[in-house]
Amino acid sequence: MLATTDGRSFTIAGTLPRPVRYGAAIAIGNPGAQQVLLFGGQNGGVATDAIQRLDPATGTVSMVGRLPAPLSEAMVFALGGGVWIVGGTSGGKASDLILRYDPATGQAVRVGQLPYPVADAAVTVLDGTAYLLGGENIKDLDTVVTLVPR
């Protein structure tokens, strides 16, 4: 994992115990107590169920939990006091999963499903609503999914 303060020069922030690509990453917490979470991803072309956490203050990276199933190319966002992992690819197919992650327990549990499977979408949060923009399923999507966690 790399860190930068200017977008031009980078330093090593930590080393993943389970190297992956296509993981869903998010930074959560207040300044001085932040953590970076990485959900799933692929290693050698195979999806993983790993949940990994980086403590930027110490550079320590550790496995902190497991997803209910291997997942890559998912989207993650923080909203309403929760961390949400949605969609992605599982078993070689786009997923409609909605998971909620609890940093205190390290557990990610299924809490719902998207209206249709979607992977690789852009995600943004605005005024208490998360938006999944585009992505792919069997083909590229030109859709917007709105999510309002309860």
Side-chain angles (χ1 to χ4, degrees):
M1 299 183 87
L2 301 175
T4 183
T5 57
D6 61 12
R8 291 184 300 264
S9 59
F10 296 83
T11 59
I12 295 175
T15 302
L16 294 171
R18 179 98 187 240
V20 295
R21 66 180 185 160
Y22 305 131
I26 188 168
I28 62 170
N30 298 319
Q34 285 186 318
Q35 55 184 312
V36 178
L37 298 168
L38 181 62
F39 299 94
Q42 289 183 12
N43 183 311
V46 178
T48 177
D49 62 359
I51 302 173
Q52 302 180 76
R53 178 181 64 209
L54 164 68
D55 177 346
T58 65
T60 303
V61 185
S62 55
M63 291 278 298
V64 293
R66 297 213 174 270
L67 296 166
L71 187 65
S72 69
E73 302 159 270
M75 294 69 64
V76 62
F77 59 91
L79 183 60
V83 176
W84 306 86
I85 305 104
V86 297
T89 303
S90 184
K93 297 180 181 178
S95 170
D96 64 0
L97 281 175
I98 299 176
L99 304 170
R100 183 176 175 136
Y101 174 74
D102 182 349
T105 65
Q107 292 188 325
V109 296
R110 185 179 184 140
V111 293
Q113 68 183 61
L114 297 169
Y116 47 83
V118 60
D120 289 323
V123 63
T124 191
V125 175
L126 179 64
D127 295 330
T129 301
Y131 298 90
L132 300 182
L133 309 166
E136 59 187 25
N137 189 323
I138 295 170
K139 60 180 182 158
D140 291 341
L141 300 172
D142 63 358
T143 56
V144 177
V145 176
T146 58
L147 299 164
V148 182
R150 299 177 213 194

